[in-house]
Amino acid sequence: MSKKFSIDFSIPESASDLASYIGIESDLFNEVVNSNDRKQFYTLHQIPKRGRHRVGKFRDVWEVKNFSLAEAHKAIARRFELFARVSDSRFPHKAAFGYVRHRGTRDNAEIHCGAPLLLRADIRNFFPSITIERLKARFLELKMHPATAEALAKFVTIDDRLALGLNASPMLANLICVNLDTKIQKLAQAYGCKYTRYADDISISAKRALPSRKEIEKVIEDEGFQINEEKFRYTKIGQAHYVTGLSISDVAGPHVPRRMKHRLRQELYYSKKFGIAEHLSRTNDPTIQVGVNRLNGTVLYVSHIEARISDRLRSNWDEIQKRDGVEASYEPVPARFAARVSCFVDETEIAFGGKKFLAVGLAFTENPNALMTSTFATLREHQIEDAFYPGDKTALAKKGLHFTDSHPDLRTSYIKVLSGLPYRTFVIFCELGGDEKYSENYVALLAKILPNRLKWYNGASLHFIFEENSKIKLLHLEKVVGDTYRSLELANNRRPIAKPEIAIGKKLENYCFAVPDYMLAVFARFAQANEKPAEKNIRTSQFERLRDKYRLIIDADSGVEFSRRRPIQPWPVAES
């Protein structure tokens, strides 16, 4: 992300201004910030800690109750991270591997592979150690206004401390730890060592000598943290030489523990010999499906860590699944969503590089009234109340709020409104080929994107409203939605409480269609930006304003999925 399209959080001077930067209603933002008990906005989950020495101990994990509030935390996680990257060139520190895009446990362990000596330390009560005052001070270092620094610090904390489970917490923890990482790295380099940190796990490896415990402890305490006495270790090759759960004894690369691989091979052997149902009936798994899910997760994890055995492992597991007719599937759990969810579906065609693409957009919302009211207000403001609206008012009267017929002033106004509304958008596209394949491709795109969306809305009452399209028949829509639901039902997989309802609507009759219409148009123009260099700045700015509302963008032809972790960029122009 270039500096041009990062949001400058040093500009807002009030909580209300800050709310608009985050993309949350000012009233809700102020309600959270000014609350004497911010716990009321969240649900506490106590997750048992793993390990035989931690039986009876729990980790507090918080979940946001309110949809708009949850979206705001996600927006902060992305938007403030971009701002922090621009404002502090050290962030994220190169030694930080936890919660950093394109860095993971394998990358963290790989740094230390083959090192004869290893020091491992753990920061006690990592997230709760980061107080509201520490966050506020860090925000002020980034040149934020005192009032907004205090408001943001309150908004992202519970009981005045950083809370595990909130989207922005890991990013903010890494921001706080920049000085810690810098100091420990300097100490490690003085000993000729390598240093990494994965959240609260500190690893320092060396060929000859390591810093003393006292030296490490002093740096950690100077930065406002404390060492976990039970987890400080010095090890060498031949002992339990692990970094983030992976063996680093082999210079060629990290390995999963031998015990895990041995057990996995053993389980796959018995599953292949006796059948997976028979094997899992003898394990501690409560159901066969739970056992299948566990084995599938283990196969994927080991394959990711050790690429050299990945093909053989996956092939063996795939053969067992196919023979016994099983696959990973997650049984329904109590509903986590509102009783009724609406999904407005629209499509568009995109011309690029001499080819034509079909894109389908799905806008899900638990509050369609908010979308309808805000859209109507925007339309009325420009169509009726503004006597000098420079666009075509007749087109607005005939088609409603449609991107193609909107004047640039109206587009700018509504895009700003869209950034704060309660919805999430999913886009899937493919090369169209020819008009005769339009209906076939439309249905194929739906068939590809619907399964995971229906799983996500487990327990909800889901209602699809498709924008009227003469090329698509209602019975085709009913079939693809019905088939998707029935396949999940037969597998007892997570799904809506009943088969989703289907309806056809028109933009002029349902103002909510303006949401997927605009989201598709903004995406299409962003994708084409490299072909329109004169308009690239405007198109990219519009997309960046709404980027947090695009939860997933799928290229159905390649299978590539774009999200916050893998941001999409304008499509490259082929060289002539």
Side-chain angles (χ1 to χ4, degrees):
M1 180 60 59
S2 67
K3 181 176 181 179
K4 181 186 298 183
F5 295 110
S6 66
I7 297 175
D8 189 352
F9 280 85
S10 69
I11 294 177
E13 296 184 0
S14 68
S16 295
D17 292 340
L18 181 61
S20 67
Y21 268 55
I22 295 171
I24 183 175
E25 295 176 1
S26 180
D27 289 345
L28 177 58
F29 183 78
N30 284 311
E31 183 183 0
V32 175
V33 168
N34 296 324
S35 173
N36 292 323
D37 180 20
R38 291 193 288 280
K39 292 194 296 292
Q40 65 179 299
F41 301 100
Y42 309 93
T43 299
L44 173 63
H45 301 282
Q46 291 193 311
I47 311 299
K49 293 184 177 181
R50 293 183 296 176
R52 59 183 179 180
H53 299 301
R54 308 172 84 182
V55 176
K57 296 182 179 181
F58 297 87
R59 180 177 286 105
D60 289 346
V61 180
W62 296 87
E63 181 182 14
V64 185
K65 293 179 180 179
N66 180 282
F67 174 85
S68 296
L69 192 57
E71 293 298 294
H73 279 282
K74 291 172 185 175
I76 292 171
R78 192 186 73 85
R79 296 182 181 185
F80 197 84
E81 179 185 0
L82 295 176
F83 166 68
R85 284 174 180 261
V86 171
S87 302
D88 187 341
S89 60
R90 301 172 300 166
F91 173 80
H93 197 279
K94 62 183 180 180
F97 281 79
Y99 314 115
V100 179
R101 193 181 307 154
H102 306 310
R103 304 180 194 176
T105 55
R106 190 187 191 285
D107 306 295
N108 183 51
E110 195 167 32
I111 297 292
H112 305 283
C113 279
L117 305 175
L118 176 66
L119 178 160
R120 286 182 293 162
D122 182 86
I123 299 175
R124 185 154 62 92
N125 296 326
F126 182 55
F127 282 94
S129 296
I130 300 174
T131 65
I132 191 172
E133 291 302 322
R134 295 180 68 180
L135 287 166
K136 181 180 175 181
R138 192 69 172 97
F139 296 159
L140 290 174
E141 288 179 3
L142 300 182
K143 309 301 181 185
M144 286 185 67
H145 191 276
T148 56
E150 182 173 2
L152 183 59
K154 287 182 177 179
F155 186 79
V156 299
T157 55
I158 300 175
D159 284 341
D160 291 345
R161 296 178 182 276
L162 209 56
L164 183 62
L166 303 188
N167 290 82
S169 293
M171 176 271 296
L172 293 172
N174 279 336
L175 181 63
I176 290 292
C177 287
V178 166
N179 288 334
L180 172 70
D181 292 332
T182 301
K183 289 181 178 180
I184 296 183
Q185 185 175 58
K186 184 177 181 180
L187 174 63
Q189 288 174 341
Y191 279 83
C193 303
K194 294 179 180 179
Y195 159 69
T196 64
R197 178 181 58 81
Y198 195 97
D200 55 356
D201 292 328
I202 289 172
S203 303
I204 302 176
S205 61
K207 293 181 178 180
R208 297 180 181 83
L210 291 164
S212 68
R213 174 174 179 152
K214 186 175 182 181
E215 290 173 300
I216 296 295
E217 198 164 16
K218 183 178 187 309
V219 174
I220 290 176
E221 290 180 354
D222 285 349
E223 287 302 314
F225 295 105
Q226 288 185 321
I227 277 183
N228 187 332
E229 301 288 343
E230 300 175 355
K231 291 189 174 183
F232 193 94
R233 296 281 188 279
Y234 285 105
T235 63
K236 57 185 178 181
I237 290 180
Q239 297 176 325
H241 216 43
Y242 292 96
V243 170
T244 47
L246 301 175
S247 170
I248 62 163
S249 297
D250 186 354
V251 69
H255 296 274
V256 297
R258 289 181 181 177
R259 185 169 56 181
M260 177 187 289
K261 281 190 292 187
H262 176 73
R263 180 179 176 181
L264 178 59
R265 291 192 186 104
Q266 192 176 51
E267 289 206 74
L268 293 180
Y269 170 78
Y270 288 134
S271 295
K272 191 171 184 177
K273 183 175 181 179
F274 301 111
I276 195 165
E278 173 65 22
H279 166 64
L280 292 175
S281 69
R282 301 174 183 274
T283 65
N284 294 325
D285 298 297
T287 66
I288 290 175
Q289 188 61 63
V290 170
V292 170
N293 294 346
R294 176 181 58 79
L295 282 174
N296 186 70
T298 306
V299 168
L300 293 177
Y301 175 71
V302 175
S303 297
H304 168 68
I305 300 300
E306 300 194 34
R308 63 183 180 82
I309 63 173
S310 174
D311 290 344
R312 183 174 71 254
L313 200 57
R314 288 188 181 223
S315 176
N316 195 8
W317 175 233
D318 288 345
E319 182 182 332
I320 293 170
Q321 291 184 94
K322 185 176 180 180
R323 185 198 67 188
D324 293 356
V326 298
E327 62 179 358
S329 173
Y330 297 89
E331 297 176 357
V333 295
R336 54 178 292 201
F337 291 101
R340 189 170 180 82
V341 177
S342 298
C343 177
F344 297 90
V345 186
D346 201 357
E347 50 71 37
T348 191
E349 294 180 28
I350 307 172
F352 184 83
K355 299 179 180 179
K356 189 180 291 185
F357 296 83
L358 176 65
V360 177
L362 300 87
F364 290 87
T365 181
E366 286 93 272
N367 190 357
N369 287 334
L371 273 58
M372 189 169 295
T373 301
S374 297
T375 302
F376 175 74
T378 304
L379 181 62
R380 179 180 177 83
E381 176 189 349
H382 291 80
Q383 180 188 355
I384 298 175
E385 298 175 2
D386 185 359
F388 298 98
Y389 172 66
D392 186 350
K393 290 191 176 185
T394 303
L396 295 182
K398 288 183 177 180
K399 300 182 180 180
L401 192 50
H402 188 267
F403 188 93
T404 303
D405 299 309
S406 299
H407 185 273
D409 290 352
L410 174 53
R411 292 175 181 177
T412 300
S413 179
Y414 188 55
I415 287 171
K416 186 175 182 180
V417 169
L418 281 175
S419 67
L421 292 180
Y423 68 95
R424 50 173 69 88
T425 301
F426 297 83
V427 175
I428 184 167
F429 64 90
C430 69
E431 188 175 344
L432 184 54
D435 290 339
E436 71 280 359
K437 293 186 177 181
Y438 188 99
S439 178
E440 177 186 338
N441 285 333
Y442 186 102
V443 172
L445 291 176
L446 286 177
K448 187 175 183 64
I449 200 171
L450 283 177
N452 284 339
R453 303 285 60 79
L454 266 59
K455 291 177 190 176
W456 178 258
Y457 286 103
N458 170 68
S461 175
L462 189 54
H463 182 206
F464 284 96
I465 309 97
F466 290 86
E467 204 269 329
E468 186 179 53
N469 186 328
S470 61
K471 299 178 183 179
I472 304 297
K473 295 181 179 180
L474 176 60
L475 63 91
H476 291 157
L477 299 176
E478 291 177 333
K479 185 177 188 305
V480 69
V481 174
D483 287 350
T484 303
Y485 180 81
R486 278 188 292 274
S487 68
L488 297 175
E489 186 178 34
L490 287 172
N492 194 29
N493 211 328
R494 294 180 183 177
R495 61 192 184 276
I497 196 169
K499 186 176 76 172
E501 301 172 17
I502 305 292
I504 301 294
K506 298 180 180 180
K507 284 187 172 70
L508 193 58
E509 296 173 355
N510 194 321
Y511 295 111
C512 290
F513 278 119
V515 178
D517 174 86
Y518 259 69
M519 294 298 287
L520 281 170
V522 170
F523 160 70
R525 285 160 54 84
F526 173 75
Q528 298 166 313
N530 283 327
E531 279 199 337
K532 305 281 186 179
E535 302 176 27
K536 186 171 184 177
N537 185 55
I538 293 175
R539 294 183 175 207
T540 305
S541 294
Q542 290 177 338
F543 183 81
E544 289 301 329
R545 184 183 286 274
L546 298 176
R547 186 184 279 271
D548 293 308
K549 295 297 184 181
Y550 294 96
R551 304 314 298 275
L552 197 65
I553 297 173
I554 303 173
D555 180 348
D557 295 325
S558 66
V560 176
E561 298 185 353
F562 301 96
S563 62
R564 187 178 72 84
R565 293 182 178 275
R566 185 197 286 230
I568 192 169
Q569 300 298 331
W571 296 345
V573 179
E575 295 182 6
S576 57

